[in-house]
């Protein structure tokens, strides 16, 4: 990643996590790790977000919420699954109420493993997501130009 | 003219909530006249998992009930099994558990102070609180290898020991933090902006708190002196401890109780490090548990109740966990009635909700 063209805003939603990854996502925005220096802001509004970070697996009640949030975000957008539960279901995979990872509901671009995912790996995941976002943005602009 | 009420949804995805909880707020103009909570967005079904996991293996699942109170949940489950199997945990093991438990309380209360500041719109205070919290997380990282999920409890004791230099290190960190934390806590207690938002907001009297079953700082802020640590589990029986109470019962009192508990935890860590004996940290466990046990533990958010029923095989029949937020939701709903719409987020925060615990 050479430079950032835009200041990407991220939206965090807790699918059905244990809170461990959620507080690590928040810790990324605080002074020790400080992703805000890259212009990344944790927003609460899906209509203004570029990156959706989902922690925890998907259960039957949060499924529709995640779908709704994803559909409210403007294109282009990327999804980061934070923590092993969001990737595959993790330790909760055998629970009766868990459907599985986030990719059973919406398309996921970056998988961040770990239980709980450490802030370093979350930041690494966000940096990877930014590259994907840039590519998607170019493809989106080309499609617009072609009149599709 | 018939009065018309409007109903607006609050959550599950909301800027001030790190976790999903849904409330239907019934409004008369700007005043809330009713609130209907709806939970279940992060229900996983962890209590059921105990039937398919080895009882020693389940310790790791119990920790993952919640990432903030993870140490306490692991400890509560282990203590239940130790009581069923008549295992005496070595004293050093108990002291180590106490030190980690109090470190968890410091990290949880600092996290809450940060979230409160964020809900007030006081961004710099949020950052300062979380900056201080990182020092405790660094100590967790050095002693257990994890920042939020530790996996150091096992049935019969703990898995990792601390040497004297590590204990001194913790002592120094605690002493430094106690000084560095003053400007932050002074801001919470004396700042005009914080005061105007919190004073007199959501008053819960001692009788109401008892009747509705409030626990933890919520109960103690209403003037009821009750702390499950006084029951003397782990090494708490050997330490000096007086419950921190406040009499006002409003949001500011709840904030003040948590701040005073921070200093109490620093003191308990110091006492435990001063008294920690030499010796083993765990005892080997043989056989399978049979019987049942019920015990209470003071989590950062209040009293949590653990119940285990074992049948003599390596799979346990039933594990039940009543978490502090479950008991604090009924008083919270009562507090919300009559407040202004803008204060709803703040009132939800003052009970220190932990939805992952509640829904398991």
């Amino acid at each position: 990643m050479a430079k950032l063209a835009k200041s990407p805003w991220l939206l965090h939603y807790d699918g059905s996590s244990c809170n461990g990854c959620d507080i690590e996502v928040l810790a990324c925005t605080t002074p020790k790790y400080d992703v805000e220096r890259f212009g990344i802001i944790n927003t609460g509004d899906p209509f203004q977000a570029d990156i959706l970070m989902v922690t925890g697996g998907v259960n039957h009640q949060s499924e529709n919420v995640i779908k709704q949030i994803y559909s409210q975000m403007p294109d282009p957008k990327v999804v980061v699954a934070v923590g092993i539960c969001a990737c595959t279901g993790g330790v909760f995979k055998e629970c009766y109420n868990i459907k599985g990872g986030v990719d059973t509901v919406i398309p996921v671009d970056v998988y961040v493993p770990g239980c709980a995912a450490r802030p370093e790996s979350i930041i690494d995941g966000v940096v990877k997501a930014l590259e994907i976002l840039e590519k998607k943005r170019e493809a989106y602009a080309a499609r617009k130009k072609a009149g599709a | 003219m018939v009065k018309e009420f409007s109903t607006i949804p609050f959550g599950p995805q909301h800027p001030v909530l790190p976790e999903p909880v849904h409330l239907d707020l019934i409004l008369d103009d700007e005043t809330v006249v009713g609130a209907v909570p709806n939970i279940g967005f992060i229900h996983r079904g962890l209590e059921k998992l105990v039937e398919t996991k080895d009882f020693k293996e389940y310790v790791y699942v119990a920790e993952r009930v919640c990432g903030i109170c993870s140490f306490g949940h692991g400890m509560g489950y282990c203590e239940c099994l130790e009581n069923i199997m008549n295992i005496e945990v070595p004293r050093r093991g108990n002291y180590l558990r106490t030190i980690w438990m109090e470190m968890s309380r410091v990290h949880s209360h600092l996290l809450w102070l940060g979230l409160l500041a964020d809900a007030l719109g006081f961004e710099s205070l949020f950052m300062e609180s979380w900056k201080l919290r990182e020092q405790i997380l660094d100590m967790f990282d050095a002693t257990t290898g994890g920042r939020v999920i530790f996996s150091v409890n096992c049935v019969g004791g703990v898995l990792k020991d601390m040497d004297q230099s590590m204990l001194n290190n913790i002592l120094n960190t605690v002493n430094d933090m106690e000084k560095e934390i003053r400007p932050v806590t002074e801001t919470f207690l004396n700042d005009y902006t914080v005061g105007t938002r919190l004073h007199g907001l959501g008053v819960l009297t001692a009788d109401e708190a008892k009747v509705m079953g409030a626990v933890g700082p919520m109960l103690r802020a209403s003037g009821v002196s009750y702390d499950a640590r006084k029951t003397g589990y782990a090494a708490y029986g050997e330490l000096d401890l007086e419950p921190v109470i406040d009499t006002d019962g409003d949001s500011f009192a709840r904030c003040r109780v948590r701040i005073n508990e921070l200093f109490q935890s620093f003191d308990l860590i110091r006492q435990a490090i001063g008294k920690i004996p030499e010796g083993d940290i765990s005892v080997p466990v043989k056989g399978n548990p049979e019987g049942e046990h019920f015990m209470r533990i003071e989590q950062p958010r209040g009293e949590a109740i653990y119940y285990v029923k074992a049948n003599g095989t390596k799979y346990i029949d039933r594990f039940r966990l009543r978490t502090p937020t479950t008991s604090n939701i009924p008083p919270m709903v009562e507090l919300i009635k009559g407040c202004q719409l803008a204060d709803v987020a703040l009132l939800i925060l003052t009970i220190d909700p932990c939805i992952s615990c509640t829904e398991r």
Side-chain angles (χ1 to χ4, degrees):
Chain A
M1 188 183 66
K3 64 179 171 63
L4 280 180
K6 299 260 164 56
S7 292
W9 287 16
L10 64 87
L11 173 71
H12 162 236
Y13 185 73
D14 176 352
S16 65
S17 94
C18 72
N19 246 347
C21 296
D22 305 72
I23 54 179
E24 294 295 60
V25 167
L26 272 182
C28 288
T29 64
T30 55
K32 190 172 179 191
Y33 296 99
D34 199 13
V35 292
E36 291 196 354
R37 67 199 141 124
F38 303 125
I40 299 172
I41 292 176
N42 188 7
T43 169
D45 185 357
F47 293 98
Q48 296 179 344
D50 304 292
I51 304 173
L52 174 62
M53 289 184 121
V54 186
T55 51
V58 176
N59 67 22
H60 295 281
Q61 201 166 353
S62 68
E63 183 187 347
N64 290 332
V65 182
I66 293 176
K67 275 185 194 159
Q68 191 189 1
I69 293 173
Y70 182 75
S71 67
Q72 284 170 341
M73 285 168 62
D75 274 325
K77 55 195 165 190
V78 285
V79 178
V80 184
V82 178
I84 194 68
C85 307
C87 297
T88 66
V91 70
F92 308 138
K93 199 172 184 172
E94 296 154 36
C95 293
Y96 59 82
N97 202 28
I98 294 287
K99 278 193 74 167
V102 179
D103 52 8
T104 55
V105 184
I106 53 172
V108 174
D109 298 285
V110 182
Y111 296 88
V112 178
C115 181
R118 295 180 75 89
E120 291 92 340
S121 54
I122 295 175
I123 294 172
D124 193 39
V126 172
V127 170
K128 286 209 168 72
L130 292 176
E131 286 167 21
I132 296 171
L133 183 66
E134 199 51 46
K135 279 186 197 133
K136 280 191 175 178
R137 193 175 276 142
E138 281 162 19
Y140 185 75
R143 256 203 332 271
K144 269 270 153 92
K145 211 174 177 185
Chain B
M1 198 180 103
V2 182
K3 218 172 189 184
E4 277 189 22
F5 295 122
S6 45
T7 307
I8 63 160
F10 184 91
Q13 196 274 326
H14 190 275
V16 82
L17 299 171
E19 295 173 277
V21 63
H22 177 88
L23 288 172
D24 276 319
L25 299 175
I26 301 156
L27 297 177
D28 175 14
D29 199 9
E30 281 282 299
T31 313
V32 183
V33 292
V36 184
N38 173 13
I39 60 172
F41 291 94
I42 24 183
H43 176 62
R44 288 149 284 169
L46 288 182
E47 287 178 354
K48 186 82 177 160
L49 213 57
V50 81
E51 294 166 15
T52 52
K53 295 255 187 233
D54 185 320
F55 74 94
K56 289 178 188 163
E57 205 181 29
Y58 189 78
V59 181
Y60 305 112
V61 182
E63 286 216 318
R64 282 161 178 83
V65 166
C66 167
I68 307 177
C69 343
S70 58
F71 188 82
H73 288 317
M75 180 167 101
Y77 173 78
C78 289
E79 295 235 349
C80 276
L81 279 171
E82 283 150 11
N83 275 298
I84 292 173
M85 300 173 82
N86 289 322
I87 299 167
E88 187 147 352
V89 179
R91 279 184 71 215
R92 191 176 176 87
N94 269 333
Y95 268 87
L96 288 172
R97 278 184 180 175
T98 310
I99 294 171
W100 276 315
M101 189 66 220
E102 288 310 310
M103 280 161 66
S104 298
R105 198 180 312 277
V106 173
H107 118 76
S108 172
H109 281 356
L110 277 171
L111 178 138
W112 178 81
L113 285 174
L115 291 179
L116 177 74
D118 193 39
L120 293 167
F122 206 148
E123 197 74 9
S124 56
L125 200 53
F126 163 61
M127 293 292 178
E128 284 295 326
S129 307
W130 280 56
K131 195 173 91 184
L132 283 163
R133 180 176 161 266
E134 287 290 338
Q135 296 186 18
I136 283 288
L137 293 190
D138 284 345
M139 291 326 298
F140 269 125
D141 210 355
T143 52
T144 68
R147 280 166 54 88
V148 287
I149 302 278
F150 314 118
S151 306
V152 282
N153 270 307
C154 65
V155 180
V158 289
L159 292 170
K160 288 184 180 131
D161 201 357
M162 296 186 207
D163 59 8
Q164 195 53 45
S165 67
M166 184 60 81
L167 289 172
N168 290 340
N169 210 343
I170 294 181
L171 205 58
N172 291 338
T173 311
V174 165
N175 288 340
D176 289 348
M177 270 184 82
E178 199 166 20
K179 287 189 208 95
E180 287 170 34
I181 212 167
R182 290 279 174 193
V184 175
T185 56
E186 288 303 308
T187 311
F188 275 106
L189 295 177
N190 300 326
D191 188 78
Y192 177 76
T193 322
V194 178
T196 43
R197 286 301 297 276
L198 295 182
H199 274 299
L201 176 68
V203 179
L204 188 71
T205 63
D207 287 340
E208 282 171 347
K210 276 186 199 160
V211 169
M212 286 188 274
V215 293
M218 185 99 169
L219 179 67
R220 290 192 287 272
S222 298
V224 183
S225 173
Y226 177 77
D227 193 322
R229 283 177 286 180
K230 294 291 266 183
T231 56
Y233 60 91
Y236 286 113
E238 300 172 25
L239 305 177
D240 278 339
L241 162 79
E242 268 315 308
V244 176
I245 58 162
D246 207 295
T247 46
D248 293 351
D250 59 355
S251 299
F252 191 76
R254 294 194 269 279
C255 179
R256 192 158 51 199
V257 163
R258 289 195 177 94
I259 286 173
N260 289 334
E261 282 190 3
L262 275 175
F263 293 108
Q264 185 191 37
S265 292
F266 290 144
D267 183 48
L268 286 171
I269 294 173
R270 259 198 303 269
Q271 283 187 40
I273 290 178
K275 283 185 179 172
I276 189 165
E278 291 295 323
D280 289 335
I281 53 167
S282 66
V283 286
V285 174
K286 290 197 187 74
N288 292 325
E290 185 164 16
E292 53 184 344
H293 190 74
F294 165 94
M295 83 167 297
R296 44 185 97 217
I297 273 186
E298 188 73 18
Q299 287 276 21
R301 288 164 178 73
E303 176 200 75
I305 294 175
Y306 301 81
Y307 170 77
V308 173
K309 186 178 175 205
N311 55 7
T313 67
K314 66 176 184 173
Y315 302 111
I316 284 169
D317 262 357
R318 183 82 170 98
F319 170 60
R320 176 86 177 97
L321 165 58
R322 207 263 356 241
T323 60
T325 309
T326 319
S327 338
N328 277 337
I329 282 180
M332 176 195 87
V333 170
E334 283 305 310
L335 292 183
I336 288 176
K337 286 177 192 166
C339 81
Q340 296 294 299
L341 178 60
D343 290 331
V344 170
L346 212 53
L347 277 172
I348 293 176
L349 262 182
T350 58
I351 74 158
D352 198 357
C354 181
I355 311 299
S356 295
C357 280
T358 313
E359 303 185 352
R360 301 179 296 279

